[in-house]
């Protein structure tokens, strides 16, 4: 790999004799990984769990194809191994309110959702509209029920959620030096002053992010770059600007190093941060810091909650669907946007002034006098949670994701919605008429396996 001259000079100065091993790591093959999804009750036996990573309780080395059943059903999430440590450092507790401020494509959000286990509230936000769409797809595929997905600026989030969250993650846009090996093109964006430019943007984001944290709450900051300007120096700036924050020590698996105070203002506290170097661990590289908000004074939290807005007819159609098909659904609140109905999560504030991609799990769409369940609902259900399921072979799965109809036995002459399942994984809804299953796999997501 052709590393920029200025990059080489910079890291020779910073790393001294160690720099040779650091540069040599850029010639090594990329390390691939994936996390298994604890929100799915059973996992396909085909997933190779022989090489766990030290970075996450759900993490493994290996590669899962994007066009595989394991990926489509959200049984796994492909993620670069060192990036898995970020969610593990954040480790929210069930019931927490969690914000992932820079979230697309969703690696960390799906990891945070694994900890929450469908409790509390996960607000996952991405500023770029196209990337926000990918975030929606990944969060839905993972089967997350308690996510509010936004396409907002950090400023707007700070206005809407003052002092609201137990955990805030800023996985910041950065100079991406840890991406060089995975995406060699990213080297061409790098210039000597790029880290300083990224640092300016990171400060702007952090100045907003701190407003979202409740007293006693935690802020996790991470980058996939090695640049001290964006790592130790950013945290030392944060500690100086916001003295009500203190660093929290991070448990470090073998090979993960302490942050380097000498690369910032010499504050020994910076050793509590974590550095993952590609010549020291099996991964591409990351920096992680965890801070606690010591203040006892919280901004006045906004208390107005989002209210339900279903019409009487919509409620009746939805109740009929729930009583026909979802035996263990339990009590929930709902809201509609246009004709689409969503689960309303506990504690969801007024969404009036926000660009909302998903207020909660999308349940389905009202069409004239009927209710059509959505793909996101199918992916969030265990097969026992739906009253009519069809177990498909892999060949039938391939037909369904391609958009074809399949034929099945129908001895009891059932007519209606069925949850299509492959090797224990929910795939999509279909509609059974006679022996034909009409395909409801979303048109925009169809593919040739
Ligand atoms: C490192 S990536 C996030 C990766 C993601 N957390 C994951 O694990 O999949 C940083 C994200 O920040 C977003 N971003 C860029 N500029 C931003 C800004 N000014 N404020 C907030 N987010 C921004 C980018 O679009 C990008 O999706």
């Amino acid at each position: 790999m052709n590393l920029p001259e200025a990059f080489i000079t910079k890291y020779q100065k910073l790393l001294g004799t160690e720099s040779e091993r650091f540069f040599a790591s850029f010639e090594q093959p990329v390390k691939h990984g994936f996390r298994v999804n604890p929100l799915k009750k059973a996992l396909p036996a085909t997933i190779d769990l022989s090489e766990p990573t030290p970075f996450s309780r759900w993490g493994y080395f290996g590669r899962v194809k994007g066009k595989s059943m394991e990926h489509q059903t959200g049984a796994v999430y492909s993620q670069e191994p060192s990036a898995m440590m970020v969610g593990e450092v954040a480790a929210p507790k069930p019931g927490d309110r969690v914000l992932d401020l820079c979230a697309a494509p969703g690696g960390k959000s799906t990891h945070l959702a694994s900890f929450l286990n469908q409790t509390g509230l996960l607000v996952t936000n991405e500023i770029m509209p196209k990337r926000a769409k990918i975030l929606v797809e990944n969060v839905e595929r993972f089967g997350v029920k308690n996510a509010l997905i936004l396409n907002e600026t950090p400023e707007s989030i700070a206005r809407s959620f003052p002092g609201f969250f137990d955990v805030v993650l800023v996985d910041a846009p950065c100079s991406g030096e840890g991406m060089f090996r995975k995406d060699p093109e990213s080297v061409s964006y790098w210039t000597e002053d790029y880290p300083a430019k990224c640092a300016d943007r990171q400060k702007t984001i952090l100045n907003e992010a701190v407003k979202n944290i409740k007293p006693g709450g935690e802020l996790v900051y991470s980058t996939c770059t090695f640049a001290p300007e964006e790592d130790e120096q950013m945290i030392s700036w944060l500690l100086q600007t916001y003295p009500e924050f203190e660093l929290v020590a991070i448990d470090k698996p073998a090979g993960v190093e302490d942050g380097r105070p000498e690369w910032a203002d010499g504050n020994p506290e910076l050793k509590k941060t974590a550095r993952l170097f590609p010549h020291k661990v099996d991964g591409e590289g990351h920096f992680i810091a965890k801070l606690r908000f010591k203040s006892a004074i919280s901004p006045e939290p906004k208390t107005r909650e989002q209210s339900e807005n279903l019409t009487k007819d919509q409620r009746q159609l939805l109740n009929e669907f729930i009583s026909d098909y979802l035996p263990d659904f339990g009590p929930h609140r709902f809201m509609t946007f246009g004709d689409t109905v969503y689960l309303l999560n506990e504690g969801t504030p007024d969404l009036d002034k926000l660009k909302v991609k998903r207020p909660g799990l999308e349940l389905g769409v009202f069409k004239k006098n009927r209710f059509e369940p959505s793909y996101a609902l199918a992916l969030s259900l265990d097969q026992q949670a739906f009253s009519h399921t069809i177990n498909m072979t892999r060949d039938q799965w391939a037909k369904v994701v391609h958009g074809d109809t399949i034929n099945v036995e129908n001895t009891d002459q059932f007519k209606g919605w069925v949850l299509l399942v492959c090797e224990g994984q929910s795939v999509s809804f279909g509609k059974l008429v006679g022996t034909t299953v009409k395909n409801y796999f979303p048109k925009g997501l169809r593919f040739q396996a």
Side-chain angles (χ1 to χ4, degrees):
M1 178 180 299
N2 264 341
L3 293 169
E5 208 46 53
F7 180 87
I8 293 178
T9 313
K10 178 177 179 177
Y11 285 98
Q12 273 170 341
K13 255 195 214 148
L14 287 169
L15 288 167
T17 50
E18 195 188 330
S19 63
E20 285 314 312
R21 286 205 292 140
F22 174 63
F23 298 136
S25 73
F26 289 90
E27 304 304 328
Q28 299 301 310
V30 176
K31 275 283 170 188
H32 294 282
F34 62 87
R35 291 187 341 269
V36 295
N37 184 348
L39 306 181
K40 310 270 173 177
K41 288 237 169 78
L43 289 174
T46 43
I47 301 174
D48 180 359
L49 305 179
S50 59
E51 263 197 279
T53 74
F55 308 120
S56 164
R57 65 200 72 189
W58 297 295
Y60 296 86
F61 292 109
R63 212 165 182 182
V64 177
K65 279 202 249 149
K67 289 182 177 173
S68 62
M69 185 277 284
E70 291 77 1
H71 175 85
Q72 179 268 314
T73 57
V76 297
Y77 189 99
S78 293
Q79 189 178 34
E80 185 278 297
S82 67
M84 292 177 193
M85 195 167 144
V86 177
E88 214 66 25
V89 167
K93 296 182 295 302
D96 276 354
R97 290 171 171 177
V98 180
L99 169 65
D100 186 0
L101 190 56
C102 313
K108 316 285 184 324
S109 276
T110 51
H111 197 175
L112 297 169
S114 300
F115 282 98
L116 291 177
N117 196 18
Q118 315 287 27
T119 67
L121 180 66
L122 173 65
V123 177
T124 171
N125 177 67
E126 169 57 41
I127 194 168
M128 316 281 265
K130 273 193 189 150
R131 290 176 62 84
K133 189 168 173 271
I134 298 168
L135 176 65
V136 168
E137 283 173 20
N138 284 332
V139 170
E140 288 188 341
R141 200 179 48 244
F142 212 69
V144 182
K145 293 180 185 161
N146 58 329
L148 161 60
I149 311 180
L150 302 175
N151 172 212
E152 269 301 349
T153 61
E155 290 77 8
S156 157
I157 302 264
R159 270 196 305 277
S160 292
F161 298 92
F164 187 83
F165 293 100
D166 299 286
V167 177
V168 171
L169 170 62
V170 175
D171 186 34
C174 68
S175 57
E177 294 166 359
M179 287 291 115
F180 285 0
R181 203 160 66 168
K182 214 170 129 191
D183 174 18
E185 226 189 85
S186 64
V187 183
S188 63
Y189 302 119
W190 194 93
T191 57
E192 206 172 349
D193 56 357
Y194 191 34
K197 281 189 193 147
C198 292
D200 285 344
R201 180 165 60 171
Q202 288 151 0
K203 283 181 188 166
T204 312
I205 295 173
L206 283 170
N207 276 326
E208 300 304 324
V210 294
K211 298 176 189 163
N212 297 303
I213 306 171
K214 58 161 89 146
E218 288 176 339
L219 169 68
V220 174
Y221 172 83
S222 56
T223 71
C224 61
T225 201
F226 310 110
E229 299 89 323
E230 303 172 64
D231 294 346
E232 285 88 349
Q233 289 172 30
M234 188 57 51
I235 300 306
S236 95
W237 166 83
L238 190 72
L239 291 171
Q240 283 169 23
T241 314
Y242 299 100
E244 57 278 32
F245 279 84
E246 63 183 357
L247 273 166
V248 178
I250 291 174
D251 282 341
K252 294 169 185 138
V256 176
E257 298 199 335
D258 293 347
R260 303 200 181 193
E262 66 277 19
W263 288 359
D265 60 357
N267 180 354
E269 280 287 289
L270 292 168
K271 285 195 172 166
K272 291 181 175 168
T273 65
R275 273 197 172 263
L276 291 87
F277 280 113
H279 60 294
K280 297 280 178 72
V281 298
D282 285 330
E284 302 305 297
H286 247 79
F287 171 83
I288 313 170
K290 182 174 188 170
L291 301 107
R292 183 176 298 118
F293 184 36
K294 292 184 287 180
S295 171
I297 312 150
S298 181
E300 195 59 33
K302 295 196 175 163
T303 47
R304 228 183 103 197
E305 283 211 20
Q306 181 62 44
S307 49
E308 288 197 301
N309 61 352
L310 267 71
T311 64
K312 223 171 131 203
D313 289 351
Q314 287 173 332
R315 181 164 283 282
Q316 195 185 332
L317 282 173
L318 184 60
N319 282 346
E320 276 168 22
F321 180 82
I322 291 170
S323 82
D324 287 350
Y325 292 105
L326 296 166
D328 309 319
F329 198 64
H332 283 290
R333 298 194 321 130
F334 309 102
M335 73 171 294
T336 55
F337 265 136
D339 291 329
T340 308
V341 62
Y342 301 88
L343 268 192
L344 192 50
N345 293 297
E346 185 83 13
T348 302
D350 189 6
L351 300 173
D352 238 14
K353 296 195 174 67
L354 290 164
K355 271 189 247 156
V356 177
K357 298 295 289 181
R358 295 286 184 276
L361 175 70
E362 184 181 320
L363 297 174
V365 181
F366 296 109
K367 292 193 167 173
K368 292 198 181 132
N369 280 334
R370 58 196 174 84
F371 172 77
E372 189 175 302
S374 73
Y375 179 58
L377 175 62
L379 288 172
S380 76
L381 295 173
D382 290 320
Q383 79 183 93
Q384 297 77 6
F386 204 74
S387 59
H388 300 274
T389 55
I390 287 179
N391 284 303
M392 303 187 291
T393 62
R394 287 241 174 189
D395 284 349
Q396 287 174 317
W397 167 80
K399 283 187 174 166
V400 166
V401 298
H402 188 249
D404 306 336
T405 49
I406 56 169
N407 286 299
V408 295
E409 272 185 33
N410 186 6
T411 41
D412 55 1
Q413 301 293 305
F414 171 74
K415 194 175 163 194
W417 293 107
V418 285
L419 182 66
L420 302 174
V421 174
C422 183
E423 296 173 24
Q425 306 306 302
S426 300
V427 172
S428 174
F429 285 119
K431 208 166 193 183
L432 183 60
V433 181
T435 57
T436 304
V437 181
K438 199 173 159 206
N439 194 328
Y440 279 80
F441 193 83
K443 288 205 169 73
L445 297 179
R446 291 177 183 179
F447 62 92
Q448 177 89 53

